[in-house]
Amino acid sequence: MPAAKPPVRRVTLRDVAARLGVSPATVSNAYNRPDQLSPELRKRVLSAARDLGYRGPDPLARSLRRGRTGVIGVVYDAPLTYAFADPAAALFLGSVTQAIQQAGLNLLLLASPDGAQPVHTASVDGFIVYCAAEGHELLRAVLERGLPTVLVDQTPQPQAAQVGIDDAGGAAAAARCLRELGHRQIGVLCLELAPDRHTGPVTPRREAAIAYRTTAERLRGYREGAAGAALHLFETGQNTPEEGEAAALDLLRQHPEITALLCMSDVLAHGALRAAQRLGLRVPHDLSLIGFDDLPSSAALNLSTVWQPTADKGRYVGEAVLALLSGETPPDVSLPTRLVVRGTTAERRERSAGG
Protein backbone atom coordinates (compact mmCIF):
# COMPACT_ATOMS: atom_id res chain seq x y z
CA MET A 1 0.00 0.00 0.00
CA PRO A 2 1.62 3.31 -1.05
CA ALA A 3 2.42 5.74 1.71
CA ALA A 4 0.00 8.62 2.12
CA LYS A 5 1.22 11.91 0.80
CA PRO A 6 1.96 14.47 3.48
CA PRO A 7 -0.52 17.38 3.49
CA VAL A 8 0.54 20.36 1.46
CA ARG A 9 1.34 23.29 3.73
CA ARG A 10 -0.70 26.35 2.93
CA VAL A 11 1.32 29.39 1.89
CA THR A 12 0.87 32.19 4.41
CA LEU A 13 1.17 35.94 4.46
CA ARG A 14 4.45 35.54 6.40
CA ASP A 15 5.92 33.46 3.56
CA VAL A 16 5.27 36.30 1.12
CA ALA A 17 6.81 38.80 3.55
CA ALA A 18 9.91 36.61 3.95
CA ARG A 19 10.33 36.27 0.18
CA LEU A 20 10.35 40.07 -0.23
CA GLY A 21 12.17 40.94 2.99
CA VAL A 22 9.28 43.12 4.21
CA SER A 23 7.06 43.00 7.28
CA PRO A 24 3.84 40.95 7.36
CA ALA A 25 1.97 44.24 7.88
CA THR A 26 3.23 45.44 4.49
CA VAL A 27 1.82 42.35 2.77
CA SER A 28 -1.47 42.78 4.66
CA ASN A 29 -1.71 46.40 3.54
CA ALA A 30 -1.36 45.31 -0.09
CA TYR A 31 -4.73 43.57 0.28
CA ASN A 32 -6.58 45.52 2.95
CA ARG A 33 -5.16 49.06 2.80
CA PRO A 34 -3.58 49.53 -0.62
CA ASP A 35 -3.50 53.31 -0.16
CA GLN A 36 -0.73 52.78 2.44
CA LEU A 37 1.72 51.42 -0.17
CA SER A 38 3.27 52.85 -3.30
CA PRO A 39 1.90 51.31 -6.52
CA GLU A 40 5.31 49.78 -7.23
CA LEU A 41 5.60 48.07 -3.84
CA ARG A 42 2.03 46.76 -3.97
CA LYS A 43 2.71 45.34 -7.43
CA ARG A 44 5.82 43.53 -6.09
CA VAL A 45 3.83 42.09 -3.18
CA LEU A 46 1.01 40.79 -5.37
CA SER A 47 3.46 39.36 -7.89
CA ALA A 48 5.35 37.47 -5.18
CA ALA A 49 2.06 36.21 -3.76
CA ARG A 50 1.06 34.80 -7.13
CA ASP A 51 4.44 33.12 -7.57
CA LEU A 52 4.15 31.44 -4.16
CA GLY A 53 0.48 30.51 -4.60
CA TYR A 54 -0.76 32.78 -1.81
CA ARG A 55 -4.47 33.48 -2.32
CA GLY A 56 -4.84 36.41 0.02
CA PRO A 57 -6.13 36.81 3.59
CA ASP A 58 -8.72 34.30 4.80
CA PRO A 59 -12.03 36.24 4.65
CA LEU A 60 -13.52 34.23 7.52
CA ALA A 61 -10.56 34.87 9.80
CA ARG A 62 -10.59 38.53 8.84
CA SER A 63 -14.30 38.87 9.64
CA LEU A 64 -13.79 37.18 13.02
CA ARG A 65 -10.98 39.59 13.88
CA ARG A 66 -13.09 42.57 12.94
CA GLY A 67 -16.27 41.26 14.53
CA ARG A 68 -18.09 41.86 11.23
CA THR A 69 -19.13 39.61 8.36
CA GLY A 70 -19.77 42.33 5.80
CA VAL A 71 -23.17 40.76 5.07
CA ILE A 72 -26.72 42.09 5.59
CA GLY A 73 -29.57 39.58 5.62
CA VAL A 74 -32.74 40.42 3.69
CA VAL A 75 -35.62 38.52 5.29
CA TYR A 76 -38.95 37.67 3.71
CA ASP A 77 -41.47 34.90 4.35
CA ALA A 78 -41.95 33.95 0.70
CA PRO A 79 -40.22 31.47 -1.64
CA LEU A 80 -36.73 32.46 -2.80
CA THR A 81 -38.00 33.04 -6.35
CA TYR A 82 -40.07 35.99 -5.11
CA ALA A 83 -37.03 38.28 -5.08
CA PHE A 84 -36.36 37.55 -8.75
CA ALA A 85 -39.89 37.18 -10.13
CA ASP A 86 -41.43 40.31 -8.59
CA PRO A 87 -40.22 43.39 -10.53
CA ALA A 88 -40.81 45.75 -7.60
CA ALA A 89 -38.79 43.50 -5.27
CA ALA A 90 -35.95 43.29 -7.78
CA LEU A 91 -35.89 47.08 -8.19
CA PHE A 92 -35.91 47.58 -4.42
CA LEU A 93 -33.10 45.09 -3.78
CA GLY A 94 -30.99 46.59 -6.55
CA SER A 95 -31.32 50.02 -4.98
CA VAL A 96 -30.42 48.68 -1.52
CA THR A 97 -27.35 47.01 -2.99
CA GLN A 98 -26.16 50.22 -4.61
CA ALA A 99 -26.50 52.06 -1.30
CA ILE A 100 -24.51 49.57 0.80
CA GLN A 101 -21.81 48.61 -1.68
CA GLN A 102 -19.96 51.83 -0.89
CA ALA A 103 -19.25 50.34 2.55
CA GLY A 104 -18.12 46.99 1.15
CA LEU A 105 -21.29 45.22 2.28
CA ASN A 106 -23.22 42.48 0.50
CA LEU A 107 -26.78 41.18 0.70
CA LEU A 108 -27.81 37.66 1.70
CA LEU A 109 -31.37 36.67 0.77
CA LEU A 110 -33.04 34.76 3.59
CA ALA A 111 -36.24 33.35 2.17
CA SER A 112 -38.14 31.78 5.05
CA PRO A 113 -41.61 30.69 3.92
CA ASP A 114 -41.74 27.80 6.40
CA GLY A 115 -40.09 29.12 9.55
CA ALA A 116 -37.35 31.18 11.17
CA GLN A 117 -34.43 28.73 11.00
CA PRO A 118 -32.43 30.74 8.40
CA VAL A 119 -32.61 33.80 10.68
CA HIS A 120 -31.37 31.90 13.73
CA THR A 121 -28.29 30.56 11.91
CA ALA A 122 -27.38 33.39 9.53
CA SER A 123 -23.95 34.96 10.03
CA VAL A 124 -24.80 38.59 9.28
CA ASP A 125 -24.16 42.08 10.64
CA GLY A 126 -27.79 43.16 10.46
CA PHE A 127 -31.20 42.52 8.93
CA ILE A 128 -33.59 44.11 6.48
CA VAL A 129 -37.11 42.76 6.99
CA TYR A 130 -38.76 43.17 3.60
CA CYS A 131 -41.85 41.03 4.03
CA ALA A 132 -43.01 39.34 7.21
CA ALA A 133 -46.44 38.75 8.70
CA GLU A 134 -47.23 40.60 11.90
CA GLY A 135 -46.63 38.37 14.91
CA HIS A 136 -44.92 35.74 12.78
CA GLU A 137 -42.02 33.78 14.31
CA LEU A 138 -39.78 35.13 11.55
CA LEU A 139 -40.14 38.71 12.74
CA ARG A 140 -39.70 37.67 16.38
CA ALA A 141 -36.53 35.77 15.52
CA VAL A 142 -35.02 38.80 13.79
CA LEU A 143 -35.73 41.12 16.71
CA GLU A 144 -34.44 38.57 19.23
CA ARG A 145 -31.05 38.54 17.49
CA GLY A 146 -30.54 42.12 18.65
CA LEU A 147 -28.67 43.13 15.48
CA PRO A 148 -29.11 46.41 13.58
CA THR A 149 -32.46 45.99 11.83
CA VAL A 150 -34.48 47.99 9.31
CA LEU A 151 -38.16 47.17 8.83
CA VAL A 152 -39.65 47.86 5.40
CA ASP A 153 -43.40 48.51 5.19
CA GLN A 154 -43.89 46.88 8.58
CA THR A 155 -45.50 48.00 11.83
CA PRO A 156 -42.88 50.10 13.66
CA GLN A 157 -40.92 48.41 16.45
CA PRO A 158 -38.95 50.33 19.12
CA GLN A 159 -35.77 48.32 18.53
CA ALA A 160 -35.63 48.78 14.73
CA ALA A 161 -35.50 51.54 12.12
CA GLN A 162 -38.51 51.92 9.83
CA VAL A 163 -38.86 52.81 6.14
CA GLY A 164 -42.23 52.70 4.41
CA ILE A 165 -44.64 54.42 2.04
CA ASP A 166 -48.08 55.97 2.29
CA ASP A 167 -49.95 52.83 1.22
CA ALA A 168 -53.32 53.98 2.55
CA GLY A 169 -53.09 57.42 0.92
CA GLY A 170 -52.24 56.01 -2.49
CA ALA A 171 -54.96 53.38 -2.29
CA ALA A 172 -57.54 55.97 -1.20
CA ALA A 173 -56.67 58.17 -4.19
CA ALA A 174 -57.16 55.22 -6.56
CA ALA A 175 -60.53 54.23 -5.09
CA ARG A 176 -61.70 57.86 -4.99
CA CYS A 177 -60.86 58.20 -8.68
CA LEU A 178 -63.09 55.26 -9.56
CA ARG A 179 -65.91 56.45 -7.34
CA GLU A 180 -65.83 59.91 -8.93
CA LEU A 181 -65.99 58.24 -12.34
CA GLY A 182 -69.32 56.74 -11.28
CA HIS A 183 -68.24 53.19 -10.41
CA ARG A 184 -70.28 51.67 -7.58
CA GLN A 185 -69.43 47.97 -7.96
CA ILE A 186 -65.67 47.63 -7.57
CA GLY A 187 -63.58 44.50 -7.39
CA VAL A 188 -60.33 44.35 -5.40
CA LEU A 189 -57.51 41.94 -6.19
CA CYS A 190 -55.70 41.66 -2.86
CA LEU A 191 -52.15 40.68 -2.07
CA GLU A 192 -51.79 37.91 0.52
CA LEU A 193 -53.67 38.54 3.76
CA ALA A 194 -51.78 35.83 5.69
CA PRO A 195 -48.81 33.48 5.12
CA ASP A 196 -50.98 30.46 4.24
CA ARG A 197 -51.17 31.39 0.52
CA HIS A 198 -54.96 31.25 0.43
CA THR A 199 -56.76 32.12 -2.82
CA GLY A 200 -60.40 33.11 -3.09
CA PRO A 201 -63.07 35.54 -1.93
CA VAL A 202 -62.27 37.38 1.30
CA THR A 203 -64.73 36.76 4.12
CA PRO A 204 -65.19 39.26 6.97
CA ARG A 205 -63.48 36.78 9.29
CA ARG A 206 -60.51 36.49 6.94
CA GLU A 207 -60.25 40.27 6.60
CA ALA A 208 -60.29 40.73 10.37
CA ALA A 209 -57.18 38.54 10.63
CA ILE A 210 -54.98 40.34 8.07
CA ALA A 211 -51.33 39.72 8.97
CA TYR A 212 -49.55 41.86 6.37
CA ARG A 213 -49.37 45.59 6.98
CA THR A 214 -49.13 46.50 3.28
CA THR A 215 -52.31 44.59 2.46
CA ALA A 216 -54.12 46.04 5.48
CA GLU A 217 -53.12 49.62 4.71
CA ARG A 218 -54.06 49.43 1.04
CA LEU A 219 -57.40 47.87 1.87
CA ARG A 220 -58.02 50.57 4.47
CA GLY A 221 -57.32 53.19 1.82
CA TYR A 222 -59.63 51.53 -0.69
CA ARG A 223 -62.48 51.49 1.80
CA GLU A 224 -61.92 55.14 2.64
CA GLY A 225 -61.74 56.29 -0.98
CA ALA A 226 -64.62 54.15 -2.21
CA ALA A 227 -67.07 55.13 0.54
CA GLY A 228 -70.57 54.49 -0.74
CA ALA A 229 -69.49 51.87 -3.27
CA ALA A 230 -69.58 48.09 -2.88
CA LEU A 231 -66.18 46.40 -2.71
CA HIS A 232 -65.80 42.75 -3.74
CA LEU A 233 -62.54 41.38 -2.32
CA PHE A 234 -60.56 38.49 -3.80
CA GLU A 235 -57.27 37.28 -2.32
CA THR A 236 -54.39 36.01 -4.44
CA GLY A 237 -51.95 33.40 -3.18
CA GLN A 238 -48.91 34.92 -4.89
CA ASN A 239 -48.07 38.20 -6.57
CA THR A 240 -47.79 36.95 -10.16
CA PRO A 241 -49.55 37.86 -13.44
CA GLU A 242 -50.93 34.32 -13.58
CA GLU A 243 -52.53 34.73 -10.14
CA GLY A 244 -53.91 38.11 -11.16
CA GLU A 245 -55.44 36.69 -14.31
CA ALA A 246 -57.00 33.70 -12.54
CA ALA A 247 -58.34 35.83 -9.68
CA ALA A 248 -59.82 38.42 -12.03
CA LEU A 249 -61.51 35.71 -14.09
CA ASP A 250 -63.09 34.18 -10.97
CA LEU A 251 -64.13 37.51 -9.51
CA LEU A 252 -65.64 38.93 -12.69
CA ARG A 253 -67.53 35.72 -13.40
CA GLN A 254 -68.90 35.63 -9.85
CA HIS A 255 -69.82 39.32 -9.94
CA PRO A 256 -70.63 40.44 -13.49
CA GLU A 257 -71.93 43.70 -12.02
CA ILE A 258 -68.35 44.84 -11.34
CA THR A 259 -67.31 47.76 -13.58
CA ALA A 260 -63.87 48.51 -12.12
CA LEU A 261 -60.95 46.69 -10.51
CA LEU A 262 -58.48 47.89 -7.91
CA CYS A 263 -55.31 45.79 -7.94
CA MET A 264 -52.86 45.89 -5.03
CA SER A 265 -49.92 45.55 -7.44
CA ASP A 266 -49.17 46.26 -11.07
CA VAL A 267 -48.21 42.61 -11.46
CA LEU A 268 -51.75 41.56 -10.54
CA ALA A 269 -53.13 44.32 -12.78
CA HIS A 270 -51.15 42.99 -15.75
CA GLY A 271 -52.85 39.64 -15.25
CA ALA A 272 -56.25 41.30 -14.85
CA LEU A 273 -55.82 42.97 -18.24
CA ARG A 274 -55.40 39.54 -19.80
CA ALA A 275 -58.49 38.30 -17.96
CA ALA A 276 -60.57 41.18 -19.31
CA GLN A 277 -59.46 40.33 -22.82
CA ARG A 278 -60.40 36.68 -22.35
CA LEU A 279 -63.85 37.71 -21.12
CA GLY A 280 -64.38 40.09 -24.03
CA LEU A 281 -64.40 43.16 -21.77
CA ARG A 282 -62.98 46.34 -23.27
CA VAL A 283 -60.68 48.36 -21.01
CA PRO A 284 -61.68 51.03 -20.04
CA HIS A 285 -65.02 51.04 -21.92
CA ASP A 286 -66.43 48.02 -20.06
CA LEU A 287 -63.96 47.75 -17.19
CA SER A 288 -61.74 50.34 -15.53
CA LEU A 289 -58.59 49.16 -13.82
CA ILE A 290 -55.96 50.68 -11.48
CA GLY A 291 -52.75 49.01 -10.28
CA PHE A 292 -50.22 49.86 -7.58
CA ASP A 293 -46.41 50.37 -7.85
CA ASP A 294 -46.03 52.00 -11.29
CA LEU A 295 -43.54 49.48 -12.60
CA PRO A 296 -41.48 50.52 -15.63
CA SER A 297 -43.53 48.14 -17.80
CA SER A 298 -46.85 49.69 -16.77
CA ALA A 299 -46.45 52.86 -18.79
CA ALA A 300 -46.13 50.77 -21.97
CA LEU A 301 -49.47 49.12 -21.09
CA ASN A 302 -51.02 52.57 -20.50
CA LEU A 303 -51.99 51.33 -17.02
CA SER A 304 -53.45 53.74 -14.50
CA THR A 305 -51.72 53.01 -11.21
CA VAL A 306 -50.41 54.32 -7.90
CA TRP A 307 -46.77 55.32 -8.09
CA GLN A 308 -44.46 54.51 -5.22
CA PRO A 309 -40.77 55.53 -5.04
CA THR A 310 -39.40 51.97 -5.01
CA ALA A 311 -35.81 52.93 -5.86
CA ASP A 312 -35.80 55.74 -3.28
CA LYS A 313 -37.18 53.34 -0.69
CA GLY A 314 -34.28 50.98 -1.31
CA ARG A 315 -31.79 53.82 -1.02
CA TYR A 316 -33.27 55.00 2.30
CA VAL A 317 -33.15 51.44 3.63
CA GLY A 318 -29.49 51.09 2.65
CA GLU A 319 -28.62 54.40 4.27
CA ALA A 320 -30.47 53.38 7.44
CA VAL A 321 -28.47 50.14 7.59
CA LEU A 322 -25.19 52.05 7.27
CA ALA A 323 -26.27 54.50 9.98
CA LEU A 324 -27.15 51.69 12.40
CA LEU A 325 -23.84 49.95 11.80
CA SER A 326 -22.10 53.23 12.61
CA GLY A 327 -23.91 53.49 15.94
CA GLU A 328 -26.32 56.19 14.76
CA THR A 329 -30.12 56.23 15.04
CA PRO A 330 -31.67 57.01 11.65
CA PRO A 331 -35.09 58.68 11.56
CA ASP A 332 -38.12 56.68 10.51
CA VAL A 333 -39.09 57.43 6.92
CA SER A 334 -42.52 57.47 5.24
CA LEU A 335 -42.38 58.19 1.52
CA PRO A 336 -45.25 59.66 -0.53
CA THR A 337 -47.35 57.91 -3.17
CA ARG A 338 -49.43 59.42 -5.95
CA LEU A 339 -52.08 58.36 -8.43
CA VAL A 340 -50.98 58.22 -12.08
CA VAL A 341 -54.00 58.30 -14.41
CA ARG A 342 -53.44 56.74 -17.83
CA GLY A 343 -55.67 54.89 -20.24
CA THR A 344 -57.28 52.11 -18.20
CA THR A 345 -59.81 54.28 -16.35
CA ALA A 346 -62.98 55.93 -17.65
CA GLU A 347 -66.49 56.85 -16.58
CA ARG A 348 -68.81 53.95 -15.85
CA ARG A 349 -70.93 52.97 -18.81
CA GLU A 350 -73.86 50.58 -19.01
CA ARG A 351 -72.74 47.37 -20.68
CA SER A 352 -74.60 46.05 -23.66
CA ALA A 353 -76.51 42.80 -23.35
CA GLY A 354 -73.70 40.99 -25.15
CA GLY A 355 -71.03 42.02 -22.63
Side-chain angles (χ1 to χ4, degrees):
M1 181 176 180
K5 294 182 179 180
V8 178
R9 189 177 73 86
R10 181 179 179 182
V11 179
T12 69
L13 180 147
R14 292 184 178 277
D15 294 326
V16 179
R19 165 69 69 89
L20 292 171
V22 299
S23 70
T26 297
V27 178
S28 177
N29 284 341
Y31 290 93
N32 302 316
R33 302 178 64 190
D35 58 303
Q36 301 297 307
L37 304 182
S38 68
E40 294 78 12
L41 179 54
R42 183 169 187 262
K43 184 177 181 180
R44 285 178 55 211
V45 170
L46 297 180
S47 177
R50 283 193 298 270
D51 291 344
L52 291 171
Y54 177 62
R55 300 177 181 178
D58 185 341
L60 178 59
R62 182 168 52 186
S63 67
L64 291 174
R65 287 195 301 271
R66 294 178 176 178
R68 292 280 180 88
T69 66
V71 176
I72 302 298
V74 179
V75 177
Y76 52 99
D77 61 358
L80 182 62
T81 53
Y82 166 77
F84 306 96
D86 185 285
L91 180 60
F92 167 80
L93 291 172
S95 184
V96 173
T97 301
Q98 288 182 347
I100 68 171
Q101 277 182 335
Q102 60 178 299
L105 299 175
N106 293 292
L107 293 183
L108 174 65
L109 301 183
L110 297 171
S112 306
D114 301 316
Q117 185 60 31
V119 170
H120 289 302
T121 59
S123 180
V124 297
D125 295 330
F127 290 106
I128 296 169
V129 181
Y130 185 55
C131 180
E134 302 295 329
H136 193 274
E137 62 176 322
L138 182 63
L139 186 57
R140 291 197 299 270
V142 168
L143 298 176
E144 286 171 359
R145 288 287 300 272
L147 295 173
T149 298
V150 181
L151 305 179
V152 185
D153 298 323
Q154 301 282 147
T155 300
Q157 302 287 337
Q159 62 269 55
Q162 168 77 18
V163 176
I165 64 169
D166 183 11
D167 282 295
R176 191 177 304 113
C177 172
L178 294 179
R179 189 192 65 193
E180 291 174 351
L181 289 171
H183 297 280
R184 295 295 180 268
Q185 298 290 332
I186 301 173
V188 178
L189 297 190
C190 299
L191 295 170
E192 300 96 321
L193 274 69
D196 57 3
R197 309 291 176 222
H198 169 80
T199 299
V202 178
T203 64
R205 182 177 180 180
R206 179 78 176 174
E207 183 179 348
I210 293 180
Y212 289 107
R213 186 174 189 269
T214 294
T215 304
E217 286 295 289
R218 292 182 189 180
L219 185 52
R220 181 170 70 86
Y222 289 153
R223 290 205 179 280
E224 175 188 325
L231 294 184
H232 306 275
L233 312 183
F234 199 99
E235 182 179 1
T236 57
Q238 293 187 64
N239 185 31
T240 66
E242 293 75 21
E243 284 275 338
E245 180 178 3
L249 285 172
D250 285 349
L251 182 59
L252 292 170
R253 284 167 175 161
Q254 293 172 18
H255 296 279
E257 71 274 19
I258 288 175
T259 61
L261 285 179
L262 290 164
C263 302
M264 287 194 182
S265 77
D266 281 5
V267 170
L268 295 178
H270 295 174
L273 286 171
R274 297 205 299 249
Q277 185 177 28
R278 287 180 59 181
L279 293 172
L281 298 175
R282 297 162 296 173
V283 176
H285 187 277
D286 299 317
L287 181 72
S288 287
L289 195 150
I290 299 179
F292 204 115
D293 288 330
D294 198 17
L295 298 175
S297 58
S298 294
L301 294 174
N302 207 18
L303 176 69
S304 296
T305 185
V306 176
W307 170 86
Q308 67 155 307
T310 305
D312 287 343
K313 181 164 66 174
R315 176 172 58 83
Y316 274 106
V317 168
E319 292 174 352
V321 168
L322 296 179
L324 290 171
L325 291 175
S326 298
E328 303 171 7
T329 302
D332 289 347
V333 175
S334 179
L335 299 170
T337 55
R338 68 170 182 268
L339 177 64
V340 179
V341 177
R342 296 193 179 106
T344 58
T345 45
E347 291 184 358
R348 181 183 67 85
R349 298 181 180 90
E350 294 295 333
R351 293 178 188 163
S352 62

